[in-house]
Every structure is written in C-alpha cells, then in structure tokens.
Amino acid sequence: MKDLPLSKVYQLLEPGPVVLLTTANKGRANVMTMSWHMMVEFEPPLVACVVSNADHSFAALRTTKECVIAIPALELAPKVVAIGNCSGRNVDKFERIRLTPVPAQRVSPPLVAECFANFECKVVDTRLVNKFNLFVLEVVKAWTDPAQKHPKTIHHHGYGKFAVDGEMIKLKSRMP
Amino acid sequence: MKDLPLSKVYQLLEPGPVVLLTTANKGRANVMTMSWHMMVEFEPPLVACVVSNADHSFAALRTTKECVIAIPALELAPKVVAIGNCSGRNVDKFERIRLTPVPAQRVSPPLVAECFANFECKVVDTRLVNKFNLFVLEVVKAWTDPAQKHPKTIHHHGYGKFAVDGEMIKLKSRMP
C-alpha cells in the first residue's frame, strides 16, 4: 500500500461508492458495508457517516472512536454483499469471508488488504449520534494500492442492485 | 411528474449521484450542484448535506429551511458543470443555463423540470451547521419523471471528472 495525500481523499469518497467500515473492540476486528457516507471537508478530510445502532459495529465505533473506511472494487462485490448478510455478533467476518486484515498505522481497526483504498479515521463529532446515528470522522491517514489500476467502484440502489462505474467523462469545471 | 413513494427515495440518493439543490430567498430562486450528501434514515427519508457558507445558497437554506434536491441524468452534465461555474449572487442561473423551474407542492424552492427525480425537503436539524455547514433534511414529497427511463447518473471525482453509471448488477442481498 502506498501513501495517498489527504487532499485527494475526497476524490474517492465523493462519487458515492459502497465502502467497508472496519472497527476493533477489545482486540476483536469487525467489518460492515456502508453506503451512507459523504464528504464534509476537503482537508483535513472530514467524512460523515451513518452506522445504525442495530449494527454490531455501532458500539465499537462509539466506544473506541476509531474506524477504517476501505473502498472495494467491482471484483469484491460478492464479498461486499456477504459482509452485509451476516453479523459480527455471531461470526469473525474476516475469517468467514476471507478478507485479509492488515495493521493500520494510526488506529486500531485493520485495513482491508483487498481494497484499493483505505482511510484511517477518528471520530471528531458525536452530537448527532443519539438522534441520527451520524458520526463525523477525520481521515488521519490514507492509503492506496498501486497494483489496482482504474478500479471500478459499485453504487448501491437497494437489495443487492448495484450500478458499476462505466465511462469516465471530463468537462471543464472550476469545482474541486 | 409522478409521485414517488417516500420509501424509495433512498434508492436514488444512496448511490451518490451529483445532484442539484434549489433554494428560494425573497422570491428569487437559485440552484447549485452538490455531491456532499448522504441518506440518514429510510422513512421518513432523512438526508444530510453540506452546503458551504461560501455558496450563495447557504443563506437561503439556513433562513428559509427549505430546498429541493433534483437528480440530473447524464444528458444534463454540461449544465451541471455550468451551474457550478457561476454564482447566484450575480446571475439568474435558471435563465442563464436554461433550466425550467416548476412550482413544488410543499416548499417554495422550485423543482427542476429537466431532472428525472425531484425531492422537496425541509431542514430538520441545524446543530452541525455552524461548525460543518452540515444540514439534516427531511424529504416531504418526492417526484419522478416517468418519461426518463433508465436514467444514467454521474458521480463526481473532482474538477469536472465524472464516472457515468455503467452496467447494473444484481446480487442476492438482504440489505435494503
């Protein structure tokens, strides 16, 4: 994995890919799928996300205030869905689904080796957690896998239906 | 335009398309482009979004607490970029960019006739506005244009680079 400048994080999250979220509670790592996330600030990159209090990851995120957001490419779609179809309450998902946890540098939850990007995050605001399960995170370290060229991400439309990235277009824009 | 059940709103926003946001201040409508949004709750649909306090729309949204989120398909990409390249401070963007405002039912800001989906929204939480420019909205009425079949959305990667929806895949998932 290679360093990604923090200023470029938004270019990978803003397009709305399904992501994986890893947490670690009392030494036990877990992973969930997540589509409810958005950028909040460019740099340092802030990200908001919603983790349901029905999810096993919720308590770990709230308690430890740390997570990793990992972005899977199309090839991982079957694993992405498998992650969503079971709970960390009952199983070790990394083992069951055969994903490779890799130690992160700044947080306890692991990176996911198979993902083309991994962002180490710390929770920086919890004011909307009680009412909306909404956390604000700061990305403190970002990685990309240079071996995965032009990864296609997937975008969830509900119940396992995903739009895969197609053509890339470039228009003349002043918007970052 | 045709009614869209509120329970289906998330299926259009969750995949992370670039959207338009309309506001109206003292009878004057404005429109901006936005990629920083996410679902917060299924039903009633809650949506969080970030509108920079540098944007002309910020004051209108904060003051009137109303907006419309409209989703453009690929064909509107040049207009989406044009909207982002000028400010409502100086111009009437609907006129300049030739978009058709249509009266909404529950809020003052207009729908955008050319978009395949339009969601009328009211601001329901402003606790994170001062620090993060983050608004929580409730979608109170949703519309789709039945004439636009299988619209392809666009996903912003920064500076006018967009991924266009490609292939749709369907996997066996229990996740809504």
Side-chain angles (χ1 to χ4, degrees):
Chain A
M1 303 248 198
K2 199 185 135 199
D3 276 349
L4 177 74
L6 292 179
S7 60
K8 297 206 165 176
V9 163
Y10 83 94
Q11 297 181 354
L12 300 182
L13 283 184
E14 182 174 310
V18 169
V19 300
L20 306 181
L21 184 93
T22 81
T23 49
N25 211 354
K26 295 169 188 161
R28 189 160 165 270
N30 191 22
V31 57
M32 63 173 277
T33 57
M34 182 170 80
S35 282
W36 293 9
H37 61 80
M38 67 171 175
M39 290 305 302
V40 170
E41 186 52 90
F42 291 105
E43 194 175 9
L46 301 180
V47 179
C49 68
V50 173
V51 174
S52 166
N53 54 19
D55 286 322
H56 188 59
S57 304
F58 178 84
L61 182 58
R62 170 127 89 166
T63 307
T64 68
K65 291 188 154 56
E66 292 186 345
C67 63
V68 168
I69 292 176
I71 313 183
L74 171 61
E75 294 67 27
L76 287 177
K79 294 197 179 198
V80 168
V81 169
I83 290 165
N85 282 343
C86 63
S87 170
R89 230 167 245 110
N90 322 113
V91 294
D92 177 333
K93 294 209 220 179
F94 281 94
E95 198 175 287
R96 155 93 69 106
I97 291 155
R98 293 175 184 277
L99 286 170
T100 315
V102 177
Q105 189 180 95
R106 302 274 311 272
V107 299
S108 295
L111 314 179
V112 180
E114 290 80 2
C115 287
F116 72 87
N118 279 272
F119 303 145
E120 303 183 21
C121 302
K122 299 199 182 212
V123 174
V124 293
D125 198 294
T126 57
R127 276 179 284 169
L128 298 194
V129 170
N130 283 345
K131 190 162 180 195
F132 298 117
N133 299 323
L134 188 160
F135 297 82
V136 182
L137 316 170
E138 177 180 339
V139 179
V140 294
K141 177 77 194 167
W143 306 93
T144 51
D145 177 0
Q148 296 196 46
K149 316 251 183 235
H150 312 296
K152 283 178 187 291
T153 62
I154 58 175
H155 304 262
H156 194 228
H157 284 254
Y159 296 103
K161 196 175 155 197
F162 297 91
V164 181
D165 285 342
E167 183 195 3
M168 295 292 297
I169 59 174
K170 182 83 179 67
L171 296 167
K172 206 166 175 174
S173 171
R174 283 190 260 126
M175 291 183 293
Chain B
M1 302 248 198
K2 200 185 136 200
D3 276 349
L4 177 75
L6 292 178
S7 60
K8 298 205 163 173
V9 163
Y10 83 95
Q11 296 181 354
L12 300 183
L13 284 184
E14 183 174 309
V18 170
V19 300
L20 305 182
L21 185 93
T22 80
T23 48
N25 211 354
K26 297 171 188 160
R28 190 160 164 270
N30 191 21
V31 56
M32 64 173 277
T33 57
M34 181 170 81
S35 281
W36 292 9
H37 61 81
M38 68 172 174
M39 290 306 301
V40 170
E41 185 52 90
F42 290 105
E43 196 180 6
L46 301 180
V47 179
C49 68
V50 173
V51 174
S52 165
N53 55 19
D55 286 322
H56 188 58
S57 304
F58 178 84
L61 183 58
R62 170 128 88 165
T63 306
T64 69
K65 291 188 153 57
E66 292 186 345
C67 63
V68 168
I69 292 176
I71 313 184
L74 171 61
E75 293 68 26
L76 288 177
K79 295 196 178 198
V80 168
V81 169
I83 290 165
N85 282 344
C86 63
S87 169
R89 229 167 246 112
N90 321 112
V91 293
D92 177 334
K93 293 209 220 177
F94 280 94
E95 200 175 285
R96 154 94 67 109
I97 291 154
R98 293 176 183 274
L99 287 169
T100 314
V102 177
Q105 189 179 97
R106 302 274 311 272
V107 299
S108 296
L111 314 178
V112 181
E114 289 80 3
C115 287
F116 73 87
N118 278 272
F119 303 146
E120 303 183 20
C121 302
K122 298 197 181 214
V123 174
V124 293
D125 198 295
T126 57
R127 275 179 285 169
L128 298 194
V129 170
N130 282 344
K131 189 163 180 194
F132 298 117
N133 299 326
L134 188 159
F135 296 83
V136 182
L137 316 170
E138 178 179 337
V139 180
V140 293
K141 177 76 192 166
W143 306 94
T144 51
D145 177 0
Q148 295 195 47
K149 317 251 181 234
H150 312 296
K152 285 178 187 291
T153 62
I154 57 175
H155 304 261
H156 194 227
H157 284 254
Y159 296 102
K161 197 176 156 198
F162 296 91
V164 181
D165 284 343
E167 183 194 5
M168 296 291 297
I169 59 174
K170 181 83 179 70
L171 297 166
K172 206 167 176 174
S173 171
R174 284 191 260 124
M175 289 183 294

Coordinates of all heavy atoms in Angstrom, one line a residue, chain B residues 39-80:
Chain B
M39 N -27.8 9.6 2.7 CA -29.0 9.2 3.4 C -28.7 9.1 4.9 O -27.6 8.7 5.3 CB -29.6 7.8 2.9 CG -30.1 7.8 1.5 SD -31.4 9.1 1.2 CE -32.7 8.6 2.4
V40 N -29.8 9.4 5.7 CA -29.6 9.3 7.2 C -30.7 8.3 7.7 O -30.5 7.6 8.7 CB -29.7 10.7 7.8 CG1 -29.8 10.6 9.3 CG2 -28.5 11.5 7.4
E41 N -31.9 8.3 7.1 CA -32.9 7.4 7.5 C -33.8 7.0 6.3 O -33.9 7.8 5.4 CB -33.8 8.1 8.6 CG -34.9 7.2 9.2 CD -34.3 5.9 9.8 OE1 -33.9 5.8 10.9 OE2 -34.3 4.9 9.0
F42 N -34.4 5.8 6.3 CA -35.2 5.3 5.2 C -36.5 6.1 5.1 O -36.8 6.6 4.0 CB -35.5 3.8 5.3 CG -34.3 3.0 5.1 CD1 -33.6 2.4 6.2 CD2 -33.7 2.7 3.9 CE1 -32.5 1.6 6.0 CE2 -32.6 1.9 3.7 CZ -32.0 1.3 4.8
E43 N -37.3 6.1 6.2 CA -38.7 6.6 6.1 C -39.2 7.1 7.4 O -39.2 6.3 8.3 CB -39.6 5.6 5.4 CG -40.9 6.3 5.0 CD -41.9 5.3 4.3 OE1 -41.6 4.1 4.4 OE2 -42.9 5.8 3.8
P44 N -39.6 8.3 7.6 CA -39.5 9.4 6.5 C -38.0 9.6 6.1 O -37.1 9.5 6.9 CB -40.1 10.6 7.2 CG -39.9 10.4 8.6 CD -40.0 8.9 8.8
P45 N -37.8 9.8 4.8 CA -36.4 9.9 4.3 C -35.7 11.1 4.9 O -36.2 12.2 4.7 CB -36.5 10.0 2.8 CG -38.0 10.0 2.5 CD -38.8 9.8 3.7
L46 N -34.6 10.9 5.6 CA -33.8 12.0 6.0 C -32.5 12.0 5.2 O -31.9 10.9 4.9 CB -33.5 11.8 7.5 CG -34.6 11.8 8.5 CD1 -34.2 11.6 9.9 CD2 -35.5 13.0 8.4
V47 N -32.0 13.1 4.9 CA -30.8 13.3 4.1 C -29.9 14.3 4.7 O -30.4 15.4 5.2 CB -31.2 13.8 2.7 CG1 -30.0 14.0 1.8 CG2 -32.2 12.8 2.0
A48 N -28.6 14.0 4.8 CA -27.7 15.1 5.3 C -27.0 15.6 4.1 O -26.8 14.9 3.1 CB -26.7 14.5 6.3
C49 N -26.6 16.9 4.1 CA -25.9 17.5 3.1 C -25.0 18.6 3.6 O -25.3 19.2 4.7 CB -26.8 18.0 1.9 SG -27.8 19.4 2.4
V50 N -23.9 18.9 2.9 CA -23.1 20.0 3.2 C -23.2 21.1 2.1 O -23.0 20.8 1.0 CB -21.6 19.5 3.3 CG1 -20.6 20.7 3.5 CG2 -21.4 18.5 4.5
V51 N -23.6 22.3 2.6 CA -23.6 23.5 1.7 C -22.7 24.5 2.2 O -22.9 25.0 3.3 CB -25.0 24.0 1.6 CG1 -25.1 25.3 0.8 CG2 -26.0 23.0 1.0
S52 N -21.6 24.7 1.5 CA -20.5 25.6 2.1 C -21.1 27.0 2.3 O -22.0 27.5 1.6 CB -19.4 25.7 1.0 OG -18.6 26.8 1.3
N53 N -20.6 27.6 3.4 CA -21.1 29.0 3.7 C -20.5 30.0 2.7 O -20.8 31.2 2.7 CB -20.8 29.4 5.2 CG -19.3 29.2 5.5 OD1 -18.5 29.1 4.7 ND2 -19.1 29.1 6.8
A54 N -19.6 29.5 1.8 CA -19.2 30.4 0.7 C -20.1 30.3 -0.5 O -20.1 31.2 -1.3 CB -17.8 29.9 0.2
D55 N -21.1 29.4 -0.4 CA -22.1 29.3 -1.5 C -23.2 30.3 -1.3 O -23.6 30.5 -0.1 CB -22.6 27.9 -1.6 CG -21.7 26.9 -2.2 OD1 -20.9 27.3 -3.1 OD2 -21.6 25.7 -1.7
H56 N -23.7 30.9 -2.4 CA -24.8 31.8 -2.3 C -26.0 31.1 -1.7 O -26.9 31.8 -1.0 CB -25.1 32.4 -3.6 CG -26.1 33.5 -3.6 ND1 -25.9 34.7 -2.9 CD2 -27.3 33.7 -4.2 CE1 -26.9 35.5 -3.0 NE2 -27.8 34.9 -3.8
S57 N -26.2 29.8 -2.0 CA -27.4 29.1 -1.5 C -27.4 28.9 0.0 O -28.5 28.7 0.6 CB -27.4 27.7 -2.1 OG -27.4 27.8 -3.5
F58 N -26.3 29.1 0.7 CA -26.2 28.8 2.1 C -27.2 29.6 2.9 O -27.9 29.1 3.7 CB -24.7 29.0 2.6 CG -24.6 28.8 4.1 CD1 -24.4 27.6 4.6 CD2 -24.6 29.9 5.0 CE1 -24.2 27.4 6.0 CE2 -24.4 29.7 6.3 CZ -24.2 28.4 6.9
A59 N -27.2 30.9 2.7 CA -28.0 31.8 3.4 C -29.5 31.5 3.2 O -30.3 31.5 4.1 CB -27.8 33.3 3.1
A60 N -29.8 31.2 2.0 CA -31.2 30.9 1.6 C -31.7 29.6 2.4 O -32.8 29.5 2.9 CB -31.4 30.7 0.1
L61 N -30.8 28.6 2.4 CA -31.1 27.4 3.0 C -31.3 27.5 4.5 O -32.2 27.0 5.2 CB -30.1 26.3 2.7 CG -30.3 24.9 3.3 CD1 -31.7 24.3 2.8 CD2 -29.2 23.9 2.9
R62 N -30.3 28.3 5.1 CA -30.3 28.5 6.5 C -31.6 29.3 7.0 O -32.2 29.0 8.0 CB -29.0 29.2 7.0 CG -29.1 29.6 8.4 CD -28.0 29.2 9.2 NE -26.9 30.2 9.2 CZ -25.8 30.2 10.0 NH1 -25.7 29.2 10.9 NH2 -24.9 31.0 9.9
T63 N -31.9 30.3 6.2 CA -33.0 31.2 6.5 C -34.4 30.6 6.3 O -35.2 30.6 7.2 CB -32.9 32.5 5.7 OG1 -31.6 33.1 5.9 CG2 -33.9 33.5 6.2
T64 N -34.6 30.0 5.1 CA -35.9 29.5 4.7 C -36.1 28.1 5.2 O -37.3 27.6 5.3 CB -36.1 29.6 3.2 OG1 -35.3 28.6 2.6 CG2 -35.8 31.0 2.7
K65 N -35.0 27.4 5.4 CA -35.1 26.0 5.9 C -35.9 25.1 4.8 O -36.5 24.1 5.2 CB -35.8 25.8 7.2 CG -34.9 26.4 8.4 CD -35.6 26.0 9.7 CE -34.6 25.9 10.9 NZ -33.8 27.1 11.1
E66 N -35.8 25.4 3.6 CA -36.4 24.6 2.5 C -35.5 24.5 1.3 O -34.7 25.5 1.0 CB -37.7 25.3 2.1 CG -38.8 25.3 3.1 CD -40.1 25.9 2.5 OE1 -40.1 26.5 1.5 OE2 -41.2 25.7 3.2
C67 N -35.6 23.4 0.6 CA -34.8 23.2 -0.6 C -35.5 22.1 -1.4 O -36.3 21.4 -0.9 CB -33.4 22.9 -0.4 SG -33.1 21.4 0.5
V68 N -35.0 21.9 -2.7 CA -35.4 20.8 -3.5 C -34.1 20.2 -3.9 O -33.1 20.9 -4.4 CB -36.2 21.2 -4.7 CG1 -36.3 20.1 -5.7 CG2 -37.6 21.7 -4.2
I69 N -34.0 18.8 -3.8 CA -32.9 18.1 -4.4 C -33.4 17.5 -5.7 O -34.4 16.7 -5.7 CB -32.4 17.0 -3.4 CG1 -31.8 17.6 -2.2 CG2 -31.4 16.1 -4.1 CD1 -31.4 16.6 -1.1
A70 N -32.7 17.8 -6.8 CA -33.1 17.3 -8.1 C -32.0 16.5 -8.7 O -30.8 16.9 -8.5 CB -33.4 18.5 -9.0
I71 N -32.3 15.3 -9.3 CA -31.2 14.5 -9.8 C -31.2 14.5 -11.3 O -32.1 14.1 -12.0 CB -31.4 13.0 -9.4 CG1 -31.7 12.9 -7.9 CG2 -30.1 12.2 -9.7 CD1 -31.8 11.5 -7.3
P72 N -30.0 15.0 -11.8 CA -29.9 15.1 -13.3 C -29.3 13.8 -13.9 O -28.5 13.1 -13.2 CB -28.9 16.2 -13.5 CG -28.0 16.1 -12.2 CD -28.9 15.6 -11.1
A73 N -29.7 13.5 -15.1 CA -29.1 12.3 -15.8 C -28.0 12.8 -16.6 O -27.8 14.1 -16.8 CB -30.2 11.6 -16.6
L74 N -27.2 11.9 -17.2 CA -26.0 12.2 -18.0 C -26.2 13.3 -19.0 O -25.3 14.2 -19.1 CB -25.6 10.9 -18.7 CG -24.5 11.0 -19.7 CD1 -23.2 11.5 -19.1 CD2 -24.3 9.7 -20.4
E75 N -27.3 13.4 -19.6 CA -27.5 14.4 -20.7 C -27.4 15.8 -20.2 O -27.1 16.7 -20.9 CB -28.9 14.2 -21.3 CG -29.1 12.9 -22.1 CD -29.1 11.6 -21.3 OE1 -29.4 11.7 -20.0 OE2 -28.7 10.6 -21.8
L76 N -27.6 16.0 -18.9 CA -27.5 17.3 -18.3 C -26.1 17.7 -17.8 O -25.9 18.8 -17.3 CB -28.5 17.5 -17.1 CG -30.0 17.6 -17.5 CD1 -30.9 17.6 -16.2 CD2 -30.3 18.8 -18.4
A77 N -25.2 16.8 -18.0 CA -23.8 17.0 -17.4 C -23.3 18.4 -17.8 O -22.7 19.1 -16.9 CB -22.9 15.9 -17.9
P78 N -23.4 18.9 -19.0 CA -22.8 20.2 -19.3 C -23.5 21.3 -18.5 O -22.8 22.2 -18.1 CB -23.1 20.4 -20.8 CG -23.2 19.0 -21.4 CD -23.8 18.2 -20.3
K79 N -24.8 21.2 -18.3 CA -25.5 22.2 -17.5 C -25.1 22.1 -16.0 O -25.0 23.1 -15.3 CB -27.0 22.0 -17.6 CG -27.5 22.3 -19.1 CD -29.0 22.6 -19.2 CE -29.3 23.0 -20.6 NZ -30.6 23.6 -20.8
V80 N -24.9 20.8 -15.5 CA -24.5 20.6 -14.1 C -23.2 21.4 -13.9 O -23.0 22.1 -12.9 CB -24.3 19.1 -13.9 CG1 -23.6 18.9 -12.5 CG2 -25.6 18.4 -13.9

